[in-house]
Amino acid sequence: MKPSRIGLATLVGLGIGLAGALCQYIGVFDTWGYRLTDRFFLPHQADQATIVVAIDDASLGRIGRWPWPRTVHADLVDRLSSFGVKAIGYDVNFPEPSDAGADARLADAVRRSGKVVMPVELDFNVVGDKLSFQAGRTVQPIAEIQSAAAASGFTNTPLDQDNIARRVPLFVRDAGGSIVHSFAYEIARLAGRAPTDAEVPTDHYGRFLINFPGEPGRSFRTVSASDVLQSRVDTSIFKDATVFIGATARDLHDYQNVATSRGEPMAGVEIHASIYDTLVSKRWLAPANRLLQALALLIVGLLLGLLVPRVRPRYSLLGVLILWVGWLVA
């Protein structure tokens, strides 16, 4: 091989590497990269003291059509509190008044428990390089119920560009500086298991990656809400447990695709339980440094430029595949 051809091939490889490095650094490959790394999730045992109480199809069949009277929710809170749970994340919003007596009954049950975290839904926007929210566009339970709760946190799970939930902010601020933590964080704090803000590795938007324990419906001990309400469950399992209550019935449409979905969406309540599991286990996931990824692509391009003109075409193709797959895995 003539030196001029080797030099030209090296320059071409370097140019390709530079182009790839630039695209990697500015995020052109992000969505594709996220989908690839989704395949690298390894299942692990979820926190054993976390229980999902599911408003499932069986519950709707036994208790009645949705929405349930708020006295039913009050009964559920009373029962779980009497079982000795540490914290209850109630992933059901009550933004409108219903029957005054039923609203008061639910508020009394929540206040009496002292262990209930209620949800709020925020309107996120980007201010500078941080996520923020508009305080006037918050959807939350009516004041009577909200004020009775031990805490409240946002239940938003923002989606990436490919409509998959992978990361969530630890907290967000409004224009006035008021801070709202995530629903799962407030539950962890109430249970006495929350990490400090400084412990959580976040990106420039203040988000951290959710380390999902496994595929949808296969990670957490799950009990039907109707079994709790109708005394069909061993109450000892709830002693010192953290309980997440929310919809899993398909007709209630509280599902999103997540990193471990494999084509099957995950119920919102299980997403919050997975966020909680990440926080209390401190199994942090941190993306590789973007600059290092760009440098790796530059090196791959340069190596290809040096390799291809020196070997036979079939071997150069094999070399390209080895380098490419090696970069992806790394």
Side-chain angles (χ1 to χ4, degrees), residues 161-179:
Q161 292 180 345
D162 56 355
N163 293 319
I164 294 178
R166 296 185 180 90
R167 65 200 77 222
V168 67
L170 183 64
F171 62 85
V172 288
R173 287 186 173 92
D174 69 2
S178 297
I179 292 178

Side-chain angles (χ1 to χ4, degrees), residues 199-212:
E199 288 182 90
V200 185
T202 56
D203 63 11
H204 62 287
Y205 287 121
R207 305 171 302 177
F208 65 96
L209 284 162
I210 307 168
N211 193 348
F212 293 96

Side-chain angles (χ1 to χ4, degrees), residues 6-22 293-310 319-320 323-324 327:
I6 293 176
L8 178 61
T10 302
L11 287 175
V12 170
L14 183 60
I16 293 172
L18 282 171
L22 178 61
Q293 292 182 65
L295 181 61
L297 267 180
L298 177 60
I299 292 172
V300 168
L302 183 58
L303 288 175
L304 289 178
L306 293 171
L307 172 69
V308 170
R310 287 178 166 83
V320 168
L323 285 172
W324 184 246
W327 175 74

Side-chain angles (χ1 to χ4, degrees), residues 125-132 203-207:
N125 52 52
V126 178
V127 177
D129 61 348
K130 295 292 183 183
L131 284 173
S132 182
D203 63 11
H204 62 287
Y205 287 121
R207 305 171 302 177

Side-chain angles (χ1 to χ4, degrees), residues 81-259:
S81 299
S82 71
F83 299 159
V85 299
K86 276 192 173 181
I88 300 171
Y90 216 107
D91 188 22
V92 179
N93 213 322
F94 304 99
E96 301 291 340
S98 66
D99 175 79
D103 288 345
R105 169 81 172 81
L106 178 54
D108 287 344
V110 170
R111 184 178 296 107
R112 214 169 25 248
S113 169
K115 301 174 181 179
V116 180
V117 177
M118 298 300 294
V120 296
E121 298 172 34
L122 305 180
D123 183 16
F124 285 165
N125 52 52
V126 178
V127 177
D129 61 348
K130 295 292 183 183
L131 284 173
S132 182
F133 70 96
Q134 297 184 33
R137 301 179 66 176
T138 299
V139 179
Q140 59 190 17
I142 60 173
E144 183 178 11
I145 297 172
Q146 184 79 342
S147 62
S152 59
F154 67 82
T155 51
N156 306 62
T157 49
L159 304 178
D160 286 339
Q161 292 180 345
D162 56 355
N163 293 319
I164 294 178
R166 296 185 180 90
R167 65 200 77 222
V168 67
L170 183 64
F171 62 85
V172 288
R173 287 186 173 92
D174 69 2
S178 297
I179 292 178
V180 180
H181 275 90
S182 75
F183 183 63
Y185 179 87
E186 289 293 353
I187 296 166
R189 185 183 61 78
L190 190 61
R193 303 181 64 187
T196 64
D197 290 0
E199 288 182 90
V200 185
T202 56
D203 63 11
H204 62 287
Y205 287 121
R207 305 171 302 177
F208 65 96
L209 284 162
I210 307 168
N211 193 348
F212 293 96
E215 297 179 14
R218 297 172 176 84
S219 298
F220 298 97
R221 177 183 291 180
T222 302
V223 177
S224 174
S226 61
D227 287 342
V228 176
L229 289 165
Q230 296 177 347
S231 302
R232 299 184 182 189
V233 65
D234 176 9
T235 61
S236 66
I237 66 173
F238 291 102
K239 179 65 176 174
D240 294 327
T242 298
V243 176
F244 286 79
I245 304 172
T248 63
R250 292 287 180 175
D251 288 347
L252 299 184
H253 305 294
D254 187 16
Y255 279 83
Q256 288 181 329
N257 285 313
V258 300

Side-chain angles (χ1 to χ4, degrees), residues 43 212-219 260-262 264 266 270:
F212 293 96
E215 297 179 14
R218 297 172 176 84
S219 298
T260 58
S261 279
R262 308 293 189 267
E264 179 185 359
M266 180 178 284
E270 190 179 355

